[in-house]
Amino acid sequence: MKRVWNSCCVMVVLKKSPPINFAMFMRAFLFYLSLGALLFLAPVQALFAQSDPEADRLLTRVSEQMEQYDAVHAQYTSKMVDLQSDLEMDQAGKVWIEGGKYHLELGDYVIVCDGQTVWTYEPEMGECYVDDAETIAEDGIDPARMFTIWEDGFKKVWKGPTDIDGRTLSRVDLHPDGADQRSFHTIQCYIDEKALQVVRLVVKGREGTDVVYDVNVFEGNGTIPEGAFTFDQAKYPGTAIIDNRL
């Protein structure tokens, strides 16, 4: 069994069992949210491409703002568009982040990390997979960094202001280092400069599949539910625990 993260932050599970809707949707973004086929399969050597100074300045300000929060709560919607098959799929998600810990809900799916261990609950299979957080992070992008994804491994290109749904946002395009080894070529970041928040992410896939993430609710220093960063098996009776660390 192999688990990988697609780029905006969701994990994909590869195994011999029949494909499930969750894995198919995540494949579209590298987050089937993911955030399954758009995958980071191996570490990529950085090319150190030069970024636009204006893009660097804005993204640095956003990163500094994120550092001010002890915890973050966000709710978002994602739309996967497969241009080749003319398929569209919508998914709503919630995420809580505190340092290197996170709790991600995608419908009935739950992914939890306490900073050392990752639990992935798949209701259709009635299983929960347990992995080392370090191993999961090595496979791709850490969901705990979904609002500061640009900090490593990307060239940043300033695209300037654009109007979306009546709001003026600033767009910065992220182009991954080692692009020929990625299953996406660009992440478009739309940022509210006044709030210093990411409002929309658009992941442009190489195989004609794009995923749009709209952040509908963002709470810096939001309340974290009690026990959010541990998997409580008692809440999911009958679930089989599969420990990939063994």
Side-chain angles (χ1 to χ4, degrees), residues 3 24 37 51-52 54 60 79-80 82 85 87 113 145 147 157 160 180 185-186 190 196 209 212 221 245:
R3 320 183 81 65
M24 179 181 69
S51 297
D52 289 344
E54 186 69 20
T60 296
K79 177 184 288 289
M80 182 269 284
D82 188 331
S85 61
L87 172 68
C113 176
R145 297 179 55 246
F147 294 110
V157 179
D180 58 344
H185 58 80
T186 305
Y190 294 86
L196 293 177
T209 301
V212 179
N221 292 325
R245 302 170 299 176

Side-chain angles (χ1 to χ4, degrees), residues 5 96-104 111-119 130-138 142-145 227-231 245:
W5 295 90
W96 290 264
I97 301 171
E98 184 179 79
K101 305 174 185 179
Y102 53 85
H103 178 114
L104 182 66
I111 302 174
V112 176
C113 176
D114 65 0
Q116 296 182 337
T117 303
V118 177
W119 295 267
V130 185
D131 296 272
D132 286 322
E134 183 177 357
T135 300
I136 292 297
E138 288 173 353
D142 186 346
R145 297 179 55 246
F229 303 124
T230 57
F231 182 77
R245 302 170 299 176

Side-chain angles (χ1 to χ4, degrees), residues 4-12 22-40 76-78 80 91 93-95 104-106 111 140-144 146-147 149 201 203 211-214:
V4 292
W5 295 90
N6 72 15
S7 106
C8 257
C9 268
V10 176
M11 185 164 59
V12 178
F22 175 73
M24 179 181 69
F25 177 75
M26 300 281 235
R27 170 182 65 218
F29 164 55
L30 290 154
F31 198 13
Y32 167 25
L33 156 28
S34 317
L35 247 207
L38 306 180
L39 308 176
F40 293 116
Y76 64 90
T77 55
S78 58
M80 182 269 284
Q91 178 76 35
K94 302 177 183 179
V95 64
L104 182 66
E105 296 182 3
L106 304 167
I111 302 174
I141 290 185
D142 186 346
M146 63 187 300
F147 294 110
I149 190 175
L201 293 172
V203 181
V211 179
V212 179
Y213 296 90
D214 285 313

Side-chain angles (χ1 to χ4, degrees), residues 5 7 29 36 40 48 54 120 122 132 148 151 160-161 166 171 186-187 193-194 196 202 219 223 239-240 245-246:
W5 295 90
S7 106
F29 164 55
F40 293 116
F48 301 104
E54 186 69 20
T120 303
E122 298 188 9
D132 286 322
T148 55
E151 291 183 339
R171 174 179 159 187
T186 305
I187 299 177
E193 285 204 48
K194 292 183 179 179
L196 293 177
V202 181
E219 296 178 328
T223 301
T239 297
R245 302 170 299 176
L246 302 178

